[in-house]
Amino acid sequence: MPRTNDRFRDKCGVVGIYGHDEAAHLAYLAMHALQHRGQDSAGIVTHHAGTFTREVGMGLVSDVFSEKNLARLKGNIAVGHVRYTTAGKTNLNDCQPILARTGHGHMAVAHNGNLVNADFLRSRLEKEGAIFQAHSDTEVICHLFAHSRCDNLISRLRDSLEKIQGAYSLSMMIEDKLVGARDPYGIRPLFLGKLEQGYVLASEDCSFPLINAQCIREVEPGELVLIDQEGVKSYDLVDRYKSKAAPCIFEHIYFARPDSHLFGRSVFSTRKNLGVQLAKESPVQADAVIAVPDSGVLAAMGYAQCSGIPYDIGLVRNHYVGRTFIEPEDRIRHFGVRLKLSPVREVVSGKKIVVVDDSIVRGTTSKKIVELLRLAGASEVHMRISAPMTTHPCHYGIATPTKEELIASRKSVDEIAFFLNVDSLAYLSIKGMYEAFSQAGNNANMCDACFSGNYPV
């Protein structure tokens, strides 16, 4: 299916399993729970009796893996990855985990994030004789590790990772050890869990219940965890306590699964709080509050709860849209949006509707949704966005349009409202976003560069 470019695309999901006889199967299940973090490709690498086995492919986890190829992935250590393209290209070469043979041993690396100095490092390494096989910035990490002259594993990892800048949450297998690492700003999440046999690393704790794992804690910003036969050991990477942590606030607004807990907060509670705060800031008289599914649902519920306007299901999402479809020769107007979303005429016809969504990127999808609602008979359409205006691109692992392509960087709220053909439009303020966020836990510094332009790195 041709992917719409009018939504943000994170990111990736990483998994690591240590000490379980069915490590590959557990990685496969955990990756299913992280499928929302990446749908371009999936891969698993396992270690058994000194041998590394890699299985990767394009598409969803269920497309890539079968019982037959999972049976090839023997061993009690595994790392897994689901990918959206943020750096590199969408092809088989760039599928992760990346497997490398170095003078310090075999390593497999799964990476969530984006390295802002990857091109500089790649150029320098190539001048020193390094040969790159793919376009992914993750391969830079392998070469830095291979080039390190330090005399032990932890020193080599520190030496490698202190050279990279940007966002990284890593699940790595180095010989018979599992390693997790998170950048000093903690921009992307990473969790440590306990299995009945062994341990697990994963991008979100929502993956733990599926594999009967108990969450121990988040890997801290600037922390490296080493898991081997002796258990879990923790090390500081690079001045982690001197750096100001800045985890990505958009993980809570859109990317993470609602049943996850990131940065010490419930995603479910945060999203409802955002809707409550939005209703306080931008009330409107209406007959019903509806959501743009699925990411706008909780904020819409919060908006309805605070405003007293009934919440209803005014848009139904088709969950069975595959990656490809055959378009009609005579193109139907707004075919792509119609394929994914359908208005419920009984809910919207003759009604004043508040439509809640988490973001507007280019505005083209929102415009089509508004037209569908008007065609279904809505008398008024009021758009409410449970985040501030997105005015800047992300450089930390989210595939965003350029600044020029972001509608909020070029137009005022009134101009965007005119473009969308809505009766009113309002975004949550940055101050309101933080007020809503602090209600879900203790306050903290966050990366809000896509709203403010203040980049932590």
Side-chain angles (χ1 to χ4, degrees):
M1 171 181 166
R3 183 189 303 126
T4 176
N5 291 318
D6 199 30
R7 299 297 289 179
F8 285 127
R9 292 190 294 119
D10 190 40
K11 55 286 173 199
C12 298
V14 302
V15 173
I17 305 291
Y18 181 88
H20 198 285
D21 294 337
E22 294 188 274
H25 282 80
L26 293 191
Y28 165 81
L29 292 172
M31 289 158 60
H32 262 293
L34 298 176
Q35 188 73 86
H36 60 286
R37 298 191 69 86
Q39 299 173 22
D40 283 344
S41 66
I44 297 174
V45 176
T46 57
H47 174 270
H48 175 65
T51 299
F52 280 61
T53 305
R54 180 173 183 256
E55 191 75 44
V56 299
M58 305 303 298
L60 305 177
V61 174
S62 57
D63 297 329
V64 174
F65 293 101
S66 64
E67 196 59 50
K68 183 178 179 180
N69 58 20
L70 279 173
R72 292 182 55 245
L73 296 167
K74 299 182 184 302
N76 67 351
I77 313 174
V79 290
H81 190 265
V82 291
R83 183 173 191 254
Y84 263 141
T85 305
T86 56
K89 299 181 179 179
T90 306
N91 59 45
L92 202 57
N93 267 357
D94 290 297
C95 294
Q96 295 188 37
I98 289 178
L99 180 58
R101 178 182 296 173
T102 79
H104 306 307
H106 283 70
M107 69 185 305
V109 181
H111 171 208
N112 173 209
N114 198 53
L115 308 183
V116 297
N117 64 338
D119 288 344
F120 168 78
L121 291 171
R122 186 185 183 104
S123 177
R124 194 191 76 186
L125 287 161
E126 286 176 334
K127 289 176 182 177
E128 295 174 0
I131 299 173
F132 285 78
Q133 303 296 322
H135 302 87
S136 170
D137 58 346
T138 308
E139 195 175 1
V140 169
I141 298 170
C142 299
H143 280 285
L144 290 172
F145 182 85
H147 280 70
S148 175
R149 297 181 180 180
C150 295
D151 59 3
N152 63 72
L153 176 60
I154 298 302
S155 296
R156 283 192 289 273
L157 286 166
R158 282 175 170 157
D159 181 47
S160 306
L161 297 180
E162 71 180 3
K163 292 180 172 66
I164 63 178
Q165 297 174 9
Y168 59 86
S169 285
L170 303 171
S171 175
M172 299 181 285
M173 185 162 49
I174 303 175
E175 289 300 325
D176 60 350
K177 304 179 189 302
L178 180 65
V179 176
R182 195 170 169 205
D183 72 77
Y185 292 91
I187 295 172
R188 298 282 156 237
L190 187 64
F191 283 82
L192 172 66
K194 182 72 175 72
L195 295 161
E196 187 175 347
Q197 299 175 43
Y199 295 89
V200 57
L201 296 168
S203 292
E204 295 182 36
D205 63 346
C206 66
S207 61
F208 289 172
L210 187 59
I211 57 174
N212 290 327
Q214 298 297 316
C215 182
I216 297 175
R217 61 179 177 86
E218 289 190 63
V219 176
E220 294 183 21
E223 182 185 11
L224 184 151
V225 292
L226 175 69
I227 306 172
D228 59 16
Q229 289 182 334
E230 298 178 5
V232 180
K233 298 174 184 175
S234 173
Y235 302 88
D236 287 357
L237 270 177
V238 282
D239 297 329
R240 64 166 151 152
Y241 296 114
K242 295 180 182 178
S243 298
K244 184 180 291 186
C248 171
I249 199 164
F250 219 83
E251 288 275 0
H252 266 266
I253 293 169
Y254 173 60
F255 295 132
R257 225 170 71 168
D259 53 335
S260 288
H261 299 78
L262 304 185
F263 321 138
R265 296 160 170 80
S266 159
V267 175
F268 183 96
S269 297
T270 298
R271 289 184 185 165
K272 285 198 74 175
N273 289 340
L274 291 167
V276 168
Q277 188 65 32
L278 182 61
K280 292 177 181 177
E281 290 186 359
S282 304
V284 65
Q285 290 187 341
D287 300 309
V289 176
I290 68 171
V292 176
D294 290 323
S295 57
V297 169
L298 292 175
M301 291 171 65
Y303 191 100
Q305 176 184 312
C306 180
S307 66
I309 302 170
Y311 170 78
D312 214 332
I313 298 174
L315 289 166
V316 175
R317 181 184 171 194
N318 178 4
H319 289 267
Y320 302 98
V321 178
R323 294 179 62 81
T324 59
F325 62 77
I326 301 170
E327 291 198 32
E329 290 185 15
D330 294 325
R331 182 177 288 271
I332 297 173
R333 185 170 175 80
H334 306 328
F335 179 74
V337 172
R338 286 175 180 266
L339 189 71
K340 294 178 181 178
L341 295 173
S342 298
V344 180
R345 186 173 294 274
E346 289 78 4
V347 173
V348 304
S349 181
K351 304 286 183 61
K352 301 175 182 178
I353 302 298
V354 179
V355 185
V356 179
D357 203 356
D358 57 82
S359 59
I360 299 176
V361 184
R362 289 180 172 88
T364 51
T365 297
S366 298
K367 182 180 178 70
K368 292 170 184 175
I369 290 170
V370 171
E371 182 166 339
L372 290 182
L373 291 170
R374 292 203 182 279
L375 288 172
S379 61
E380 293 182 14
V381 180
H382 301 272
M383 183 75 77
R384 294 294 181 267
I385 306 300
S386 62
M389 298 177 75
T390 305
T391 54
H392 292 73
C394 175
H395 301 296
Y396 306 131
I398 302 168
T400 59
T402 63
K403 184 173 181 178
E404 292 71 26
E405 293 173 301
L406 292 167
I407 192 170
S409 71
R410 299 179 286 105
K411 296 180 181 291
S412 67
V413 174
D414 288 343
E415 289 171 330
I416 297 171
F418 180 79
F419 173 77
L420 299 180
N421 189 28
V422 291
D423 294 278
S424 72
L425 169 66
Y427 292 81
L428 187 63
S429 67
I430 291 180
K431 180 182 177 183
M433 175 182 68
Y434 279 109
E435 287 181 4
F437 197 73
S438 65
Q439 293 171 16
N442 296 325
N443 205 3
N445 295 304
M446 306 293 292
C447 177
D448 59 11
C450 52
F451 309 128
S452 67
N454 298 321
Y455 294 97
V457 184

